Amino acid sequence: MVTVVQGQTTVVGTVQLSLIPGLSRGGASRLQIEALRLAESVRGLGLGSMLLEWAHAYGREQGAVLSQLTCDRRRDAAHRFYERAGYVASHTGFKRRL
């Protein structure tokens, strides 16, 4: 989990990263990005793009060859943000309560 702090104590952003070893793509690892969230007060300032680019650099440093994420289908603004960052909606996700 990465936390972005403004000033001394105000949390304004978070992102959770996981590296997933894989069997496809020649056994390549993937960077899984979850819970990228920014406080409303800092949206539109470029912080989300900077945080995403930092996450991509971290993934490359760790040997990941692909970045993937999921996003609630109702978050249209987030979809546009990820598409501008080069993400493609390529799969349909499923979930189930345990």
Side-chain angles (χ1 to χ4, degrees):
M1 174 77 83
V2 175
T3 304
V4 179
V5 179
Q6 183 179 41
Q8 294 291 321
T9 59
T10 305
V11 175
V12 294
T14 63
V15 64
Q16 178 181 325
L17 306 175
S18 302
L19 292 165
I20 303 171
L23 296 175
S24 62
R25 298 180 187 263
S29 292
R30 298 169 184 242
L31 175 69
Q32 178 72 30
I33 298 176
E34 304 270 353
L36 193 155
R37 300 284 188 267
L38 294 175
E40 284 188 43
S41 62
V42 298
R43 292 183 188 156
L45 302 177
L47 186 57
S49 295
M50 291 186 331
L51 191 53
L52 199 54
E53 284 305 315
W54 179 87
H56 295 158
Y58 171 81
R60 283 190 295 271
E61 289 170 8
Q62 302 302 313
V65 300
L66 180 75
S67 176
Q68 62 188 30
L69 55 83
T70 59
C71 184
D72 190 304
R73 67 177 63 168
R74 297 169 291 187
R75 296 182 64 217
D76 294 330
H79 297 181
R80 289 188 299 272
F81 168 75
Y82 293 127
E83 288 168 354
R84 283 193 309 271
Y87 284 82
V88 176
S90 62
H91 290 69
T92 298
F94 296 89
K95 60 174 105 174
R96 177 185 161 180
R97 289 194 180 274
L98 301 176

mmCIF file of all heavy atoms in Angstrom, residues 8-36:
data_model
loop_
_atom_site.group_PDB
_atom_site.id
_atom_site.type_symbol
_atom_site.label_atom_id
_atom_site.label_comp_id
_atom_site.label_asym_id
_atom_site.label_seq_id
_atom_site.Cartn_x
_atom_site.Cartn_y
_atom_site.Cartn_z
ATOM 1 N N GLN A 8 1.805 17.591 6.773
ATOM 2 C CA GLN A 8 2.364 16.656 7.751
ATOM 3 C C GLN A 8 1.460 15.465 8.042
ATOM 4 O O GLN A 8 1.941 14.404 8.393
ATOM 5 C CB GLN A 8 2.649 17.401 9.062
ATOM 6 C CG GLN A 8 3.730 18.446 8.945
ATOM 7 C CD GLN A 8 5.095 17.825 8.719
ATOM 8 O OE1 GLN A 8 5.415 16.796 9.300
ATOM 9 N NE2 GLN A 8 5.895 18.439 7.866
ATOM 10 N N THR A 9 0.140 15.633 7.909
ATOM 11 C CA THR A 9 -0.745 14.585 8.409
ATOM 12 C C THR A 9 -1.940 14.231 7.540
ATOM 13 O O THR A 9 -2.672 13.322 7.874
ATOM 14 C CB THR A 9 -1.287 14.994 9.788
ATOM 15 O OG1 THR A 9 -1.998 16.228 9.641
ATOM 16 C CG2 THR A 9 -0.179 15.144 10.807
ATOM 17 N N THR A 10 -2.187 14.921 6.452
ATOM 18 C CA THR A 10 -3.407 14.700 5.679
ATOM 19 C C THR A 10 -3.171 13.695 4.558
ATOM 20 O O THR A 10 -2.407 13.968 3.631
ATOM 21 C CB THR A 10 -3.914 16.026 5.079
ATOM 22 O OG1 THR A 10 -4.075 16.974 6.129
ATOM 23 C CG2 THR A 10 -5.239 15.827 4.371
ATOM 24 N N VAL A 11 -3.833 12.550 4.637
ATOM 25 C CA VAL A 11 -3.752 11.545 3.577
ATOM 26 C C VAL A 11 -4.654 11.990 2.435
ATOM 27 O O VAL A 11 -5.842 12.242 2.642
ATOM 28 C CB VAL A 11 -4.179 10.154 4.090
ATOM 29 C CG1 VAL A 11 -4.219 9.147 2.947
ATOM 30 C CG2 VAL A 11 -3.248 9.681 5.190
ATOM 31 N N VAL A 12 -4.090 12.110 1.230
ATOM 32 C CA VAL A 12 -4.869 12.552 0.067
ATOM 33 C C VAL A 12 -4.936 11.502 -1.035
ATOM 34 O O VAL A 12 -5.653 11.684 -2.012
ATOM 35 C CB VAL A 12 -4.326 13.882 -0.502
ATOM 36 C CG1 VAL A 12 -4.512 15.022 0.501
ATOM 37 C CG2 VAL A 12 -2.883 13.751 -0.943
ATOM 38 N N GLY A 13 -4.200 10.395 -0.889
ATOM 39 C CA GLY A 13 -4.248 9.369 -1.919
ATOM 40 C C GLY A 13 -3.684 8.050 -1.443
ATOM 41 O O GLY A 13 -2.853 8.018 -0.526
ATOM 42 N N THR A 14 -4.163 6.983 -2.061
ATOM 43 C CA THR A 14 -3.648 5.648 -1.771
ATOM 44 C C THR A 14 -3.650 4.820 -3.048
ATOM 45 O O THR A 14 -4.407 5.094 -3.982
ATOM 46 C CB THR A 14 -4.493 4.888 -0.729
ATOM 47 O OG1 THR A 14 -5.805 4.692 -1.252
ATOM 48 C CG2 THR A 14 -4.568 5.612 0.592
ATOM 49 N N VAL A 15 -2.806 3.818 -3.070
ATOM 50 C CA VAL A 15 -2.847 2.793 -4.115
ATOM 51 C C VAL A 15 -2.262 1.514 -3.514
ATOM 52 O O VAL A 15 -1.327 1.564 -2.736
ATOM 53 C CB VAL A 15 -2.083 3.217 -5.403
ATOM 54 C CG1 VAL A 15 -0.599 3.391 -5.162
ATOM 55 C CG2 VAL A 15 -2.339 2.225 -6.524
ATOM 56 N N GLN A 16 -2.846 0.398 -3.854
ATOM 57 C CA GLN A 16 -2.379 -0.903 -3.391
ATOM 58 C C GLN A 16 -1.821 -1.665 -4.583
ATOM 59 O O GLN A 16 -2.494 -1.788 -5.607
ATOM 60 C CB GLN A 16 -3.541 -1.679 -2.767
ATOM 61 C CG GLN A 16 -3.174 -3.060 -2.294
ATOM 62 C CD GLN A 16 -4.381 -3.773 -1.705
ATOM 63 O OE1 GLN A 16 -5.229 -3.162 -1.077
ATOM 64 N NE2 GLN A 16 -4.448 -5.069 -1.936
ATOM 65 N N LEU A 17 -0.607 -2.148 -4.453
ATOM 66 C CA LEU A 17 0.065 -2.862 -5.543
ATOM 67 C C LEU A 17 0.369 -4.285 -5.131
ATOM 68 O O LEU A 17 0.798 -4.531 -4.007
ATOM 69 C CB LEU A 17 1.368 -2.151 -5.908
ATOM 70 C CG LEU A 17 1.267 -0.665 -6.242
ATOM 71 C CD1 LEU A 17 2.653 -0.082 -6.461
ATOM 72 C CD2 LEU A 17 0.384 -0.447 -7.448
ATOM 73 N N SER A 18 0.182 -5.216 -6.050
ATOM 74 C CA SER A 18 0.551 -6.610 -5.839
ATOM 75 C C SER A 18 1.264 -7.108 -7.090
ATOM 76 O O SER A 18 0.883 -6.756 -8.206
ATOM 77 C CB SER A 18 -0.682 -7.487 -5.616
ATOM 78 O OG SER A 18 -1.437 -7.043 -4.519
ATOM 79 N N LEU A 19 2.278 -7.908 -6.887
ATOM 80 C CA LEU A 19 2.951 -8.564 -8.003
ATOM 81 C C LEU A 19 2.453 -9.997 -8.059
ATOM 82 O O LEU A 19 2.484 -10.710 -7.058
ATOM 83 C CB LEU A 19 4.467 -8.521 -7.821
ATOM 84 C CG LEU A 19 5.046 -7.116 -7.938
ATOM 85 C CD1 LEU A 19 6.464 -7.081 -7.405
ATOM 86 C CD2 LEU A 19 5.010 -6.645 -9.380
ATOM 87 N N ILE A 20 1.987 -10.399 -9.228
ATOM 88 C CA ILE A 20 1.399 -11.721 -9.394
ATOM 89 C C ILE A 20 2.253 -12.521 -10.365
ATOM 90 O O ILE A 20 2.348 -12.163 -11.544
ATOM 91 C CB ILE A 20 -0.034 -11.615 -9.940
ATOM 92 C CG1 ILE A 20 -0.887 -10.743 -9.014
ATOM 93 C CG2 ILE A 20 -0.647 -12.999 -10.109
ATOM 94 C CD1 ILE A 20 -2.249 -10.419 -9.587
ATOM 95 N N PRO A 21 2.886 -13.594 -9.874
ATOM 96 C CA PRO A 21 3.630 -14.452 -10.808
ATOM 97 C C PRO A 21 2.636 -15.170 -11.714
ATOM 98 O O PRO A 21 1.516 -15.463 -11.302
ATOM 99 C CB PRO A 21 4.366 -15.435 -9.893
ATOM 100 C CG PRO A 21 3.642 -15.389 -8.590
ATOM 101 C CD PRO A 21 2.937 -14.073 -8.504
ATOM 102 N N GLY A 22 3.035 -15.420 -12.943
ATOM 103 C CA GLY A 22 2.103 -16.022 -13.882
ATOM 104 C C GLY A 22 2.688 -17.179 -14.662
ATOM 105 O O GLY A 22 3.897 -17.396 -14.677
ATOM 106 N N LEU A 23 1.809 -17.896 -15.309
ATOM 107 C CA LEU A 23 2.213 -18.973 -16.215
ATOM 108 C C LEU A 23 2.139 -18.523 -17.662
ATOM 109 O O LEU A 23 2.890 -18.996 -18.502
ATOM 110 C CB LEU A 23 1.310 -20.199 -16.013
ATOM 111 C CG LEU A 23 1.402 -20.854 -14.632
ATOM 112 C CD1 LEU A 23 0.377 -21.977 -14.518
ATOM 113 C CD2 LEU A 23 2.800 -21.388 -14.404
ATOM 114 N N SER A 24 1.227 -17.598 -17.957
ATOM 115 C CA SER A 24 1.115 -17.106 -19.333
ATOM 116 C C SER A 24 2.213 -16.081 -19.597
ATOM 117 O O SER A 24 2.923 -15.648 -18.694
ATOM 118 C CB SER A 24 -0.269 -16.487 -19.560
ATOM 119 O OG SER A 24 -0.456 -15.385 -18.714
ATOM 120 N N ARG A 25 2.338 -15.697 -20.848
ATOM 121 C CA ARG A 25 3.358 -14.732 -21.282
ATOM 122 C C ARG A 25 4.758 -15.168 -20.843
ATOM 123 O O ARG A 25 5.549 -14.375 -20.360
ATOM 124 C CB ARG A 25 3.042 -13.337 -20.764
ATOM 125 C CG ARG A 25 1.734 -12.788 -21.277
ATOM 126 C CD ARG A 25 1.470 -11.400 -20.725
ATOM 127 N NE ARG A 25 0.144 -10.956 -21.102
ATOM 128 C CZ ARG A 25 -0.128 -10.178 -22.132
ATOM 129 N NH1 ARG A 25 0.826 -9.749 -22.904
ATOM 130 N NH2 ARG A 25 -1.364 -9.818 -22.392
ATOM 131 N N GLY A 26 5.022 -16.445 -20.985
ATOM 132 C CA GLY A 26 6.353 -16.967 -20.671
ATOM 133 C C GLY A 26 6.692 -16.933 -19.183
ATOM 134 O O GLY A 26 7.850 -16.811 -18.809
ATOM 135 N N GLY A 27 5.690 -17.010 -18.328
ATOM 136 C CA GLY A 27 5.935 -16.990 -16.891
ATOM 137 C C GLY A 27 6.136 -15.594 -16.328
ATOM 138 O O GLY A 27 6.682 -15.416 -15.244
ATOM 139 N N ALA A 28 5.692 -14.584 -17.062
ATOM 140 C CA ALA A 28 5.904 -13.191 -16.665
ATOM 141 C C ALA A 28 5.024 -12.806 -15.481
ATOM 142 O O ALA A 28 3.920 -13.307 -15.311
ATOM 143 C CB ALA A 28 5.599 -12.267 -17.837
ATOM 144 N N SER A 29 5.535 -11.883 -14.689
ATOM 145 C CA SER A 29 4.767 -11.323 -13.577
ATOM 146 C C SER A 29 3.886 -10.186 -14.073
ATOM 147 O O SER A 29 4.189 -9.525 -15.057
ATOM 148 C CB SER A 29 5.708 -10.783 -12.502
ATOM 149 O OG SER A 29 6.401 -11.834 -11.886
ATOM 150 N N ARG A 30 2.799 -9.945 -13.330
ATOM 151 C CA ARG A 30 1.886 -8.843 -13.611
ATOM 152 C C ARG A 30 1.835 -7.930 -12.397
ATOM 153 O O ARG A 30 1.946 -8.389 -11.263
ATOM 154 C CB ARG A 30 0.469 -9.356 -13.856
ATOM 155 C CG ARG A 30 0.352 -10.253 -15.042
ATOM 156 C CD ARG A 30 -1.017 -10.936 -15.064
ATOM 157 N NE ARG A 30 -1.062 -11.868 -16.167
ATOM 158 C CZ ARG A 30 -1.903 -11.776 -17.186
ATOM 159 N NH1 ARG A 30 -2.772 -10.791 -17.230
ATOM 160 N NH2 ARG A 30 -1.871 -12.643 -18.149
ATOM 161 N N LEU A 31 1.647 -6.666 -12.651
ATOM 162 C CA LEU A 31 1.414 -5.706 -11.591
ATOM 163 C C LEU A 31 -0.089 -5.517 -11.463
ATOM 164 O O LEU A 31 -0.750 -5.120 -12.420
ATOM 165 C CB LEU A 31 2.076 -4.367 -11.909
ATOM 166 C CG LEU A 31 1.796 -3.239 -10.926
ATOM 167 C CD1 LEU A 31 2.470 -3.519 -9.585
ATOM 168 C CD2 LEU A 31 2.265 -1.907 -11.495
ATOM 169 N N GLN A 32 -0.637 -5.840 -10.313
ATOM 170 C CA GLN A 32 -2.067 -5.641 -10.041
ATOM 171 C C GLN A 32 -2.217 -4.343 -9.258
ATOM 172 O O GLN A 32 -1.607 -4.170 -8.209
ATOM 173 C CB GLN A 32 -2.629 -6.810 -9.228
ATOM 174 C CG GLN A 32 -4.086 -6.668 -8.853
ATOM 175 C CD GLN A 32 -5.021 -6.853 -10.030
ATOM 176 O OE1 GLN A 32 -4.725 -7.584 -10.974
ATOM 177 N NE2 GLN A 32 -6.166 -6.195 -9.982
ATOM 178 N N ILE A 33 -3.006 -3.420 -9.793
ATOM 179 C CA ILE A 33 -3.246 -2.132 -9.146
ATOM 180 C C ILE A 33 -4.663 -2.129 -8.589
ATOM 181 O O ILE A 33 -5.617 -2.425 -9.304
ATOM 182 C CB ILE A 33 -3.058 -0.970 -10.147
ATOM 183 C CG1 ILE A 33 -1.615 -0.949 -10.655
ATOM 184 C CG2 ILE A 33 -3.438 0.359 -9.499
ATOM 185 C CD1 ILE A 33 -1.334 0.095 -11.704
ATOM 186 N N GLU A 34 -4.775 -1.841 -7.308
ATOM 187 C CA GLU A 34 -6.071 -1.802 -6.635
ATOM 188 C C GLU A 34 -6.190 -0.506 -5.842
ATOM 189 O O GLU A 34 -5.185 0.068 -5.420
ATOM 190 C CB GLU A 34 -6.198 -2.976 -5.647
ATOM 191 C CG GLU A 34 -5.994 -4.342 -6.249
ATOM 192 C CD GLU A 34 -7.268 -4.966 -6.761
ATOM 193 O OE1 GLU A 34 -8.355 -4.386 -6.533
ATOM 194 O OE2 GLU A 34 -7.186 -6.019 -7.393
ATOM 195 N N ALA A 35 -7.386 -0.091 -5.595
ATOM 196 C CA ALA A 35 -7.710 0.983 -4.651
ATOM 197 C C ALA A 35 -6.928 2.269 -4.886
ATOM 198 O O ALA A 35 -6.453 2.880 -3.940
ATOM 199 C CB ALA A 35 -7.505 0.486 -3.218
ATOM 200 N N LEU A 36 -6.782 2.674 -6.141
ATOM 201 C CA LEU A 36 -6.187 3.979 -6.402
ATOM 202 C C LEU A 36 -7.278 5.002 -6.111
ATOM 203 O O LEU A 36 -8.279 5.082 -6.808
ATOM 204 C CB LEU A 36 -5.715 4.082 -7.854
ATOM 205 C CG LEU A 36 -4.793 5.268 -8.164
ATOM 206 C CD1 LEU A 36 -3.921 4.961 -9.354
ATOM 207 C CD2 LEU A 36 -5.487 6.576 -8.312
#
